[in-house]
Amino acid sequence: MGLLKKLFGTPEPPRPFCSAVVVAAGSARRMGGIDKILCPLGSVPILLHALAPLQASDLVDEIVIVTREDLMVPIGNLCSQKGMTKVRRLVKGGESRTDSVLAGLGETDPKADLIAIHDGARPFLTEPVLEETIAKARARGAAAPAIPLKDTVKRVQDGTAVETLDRDSLAAIQTPQIFEAGLIKGALHKARQDGVVLTDDCAAVERLGFPVCLTQGSEENIKITTPSDLVLGELILAHRRGF
């Protein structure tokens, strides 16, 4: 196909404009009072680790950060000092994840073709995972990185295991979750209208019957949720640095 384009002068289709919405508005209840977004990991705040691959990728055009009101000034100063030039706006989060993501979506560039929604507490995203997921979303409309489950998973009722689920049919979904812009905006508005509580954004489009294609995630692409995750994060960082 590339040779035919060269021979006959068929232009490459334009690269889609991709806006990234980074959600960093959580209350950190499970962190024992530690504000994880600005917590240092190898002397660098977790949020900066999360932003770095988005800043570095040629496929991401802008970043909108959704955070708590009390963090807007320190995060804005941090991004400015550290050269996060793609960060165009900071916006106050809402009561729920859906509200927060919709607040971020409302500040993305109107010409965005794709929206990448990433957790600000995932500091180990790699550019290959990011760019493979962008490519899949461009082709199919919705995509997210995933990894297979290792543990046996039980369905629990009243503290009792009542069913063993087929591990081969399950996956752990990560971020960034990337969608055609109109699709995710419509799906999240519909979920909020219906009063549905969502733990991730793929669920919003799944409710509409739209399939989410999975790409290869990374076991290192963890979300910092509890203090023990900080310990694991330091080990991942040390491994990457060759220590």
Side-chain angles (χ1 to χ4, degrees), residues 57-94:
S57 176
D58 292 336
L59 301 184
V60 175
D61 296 281
E62 67 167 357
I63 301 170
V64 175
I65 299 175
V66 185
T67 191
R68 303 197 313 263
E69 187 171 17
D70 62 303
L71 293 180
M72 292 182 73
V73 171
I75 287 177
N77 291 337
L78 182 67
C79 291
S80 178
Q81 293 165 7
K82 299 302 181 180
M84 293 292 152
T85 57
K86 290 183 182 178
V87 176
R88 306 288 166 79
R89 299 170 188 81
L90 278 79
V91 61
K92 179 183 174 182

Side-chain angles (χ1 to χ4, degrees), residues 168-225:
D168 292 338
S169 67
L170 302 172
I173 306 301
Q174 302 175 338
T175 71
Q177 298 177 1
I178 306 178
F179 310 91
E180 188 277 326
L183 172 64
I184 190 59
K185 290 177 181 179
L188 286 173
H189 278 295
K190 175 64 173 170
R192 184 166 67 179
Q193 177 184 328
D194 293 345
V196 176
V197 177
L198 304 175
T199 57
D200 82 336
D201 306 293
C202 289
V205 301
E206 291 163 6
R207 292 183 69 244
L208 303 182
F210 196 97
V212 178
C213 297
L214 301 183
T215 60
Q216 181 60 54
S218 166
E219 292 188 4
E220 292 186 348
N221 188 20
I222 64 170
K223 184 177 181 181
I224 304 296
T225 303

Side-chain angles (χ1 to χ4, degrees), residues 26-205:
S27 61
R29 292 188 307 272
R30 288 175 286 181
M31 286 295 291
I34 300 172
D35 200 326
K36 61 184 177 181
I37 293 301
L38 296 180
C39 181
L41 195 60
S43 78
V44 176
I46 286 172
L47 179 61
L48 283 186
H49 285 289
L51 293 174
L54 303 172
Q55 173 70 32
S57 176
D58 292 336
L59 301 184
V60 175
D61 296 281
E62 67 167 357
I63 301 170
V64 175
I65 299 175
V66 185
T67 191
R68 303 197 313 263
E69 187 171 17
D70 62 303
L71 293 180
M72 292 182 73
V73 171
I75 287 177
N77 291 337
L78 182 67
C79 291
S80 178
Q81 293 165 7
K82 299 302 181 180
M84 293 292 152
T85 57
K86 290 183 182 178
V87 176
R88 306 288 166 79
R89 299 170 188 81
L90 278 79
V91 61
K92 179 183 174 182
E95 292 297 318
S96 68
R97 179 183 176 86
T98 297
D99 289 336
S100 291
V101 174
L102 280 170
L105 291 177
E107 295 297 324
T108 56
D109 194 302
K111 68 174 176 283
D113 303 295
L114 296 176
I115 304 289
I117 304 171
H118 187 46
D119 292 324
R122 285 191 191 267
F124 298 113
L125 172 66
T126 63
E127 284 190 61
V129 169
L130 168 64
E131 295 183 354
E132 181 187 357
T133 309
I134 289 175
K136 185 67 74 172
R138 180 182 184 182
R140 304 289 294 275
I147 57 173
L149 295 184
K150 293 181 178 179
D151 297 325
T152 297
V153 180
K154 303 282 186 177
R155 187 170 65 83
V156 177
Q157 184 175 332
D158 298 327
T160 302
V162 295
E163 181 183 3
T164 300
L165 303 180
D166 180 8
R167 185 171 58 191
D168 292 338
S169 67
L170 302 172
I173 306 301
Q174 302 175 338
T175 71
Q177 298 177 1
I178 306 178
F179 310 91
E180 188 277 326
L183 172 64
I184 190 59
K185 290 177 181 179
L188 286 173
H189 278 295
K190 175 64 173 170
R192 184 166 67 179
Q193 177 184 328
D194 293 345
V196 176
V197 177
L198 304 175
T199 57
D200 82 336
D201 306 293
C202 289
V205 301

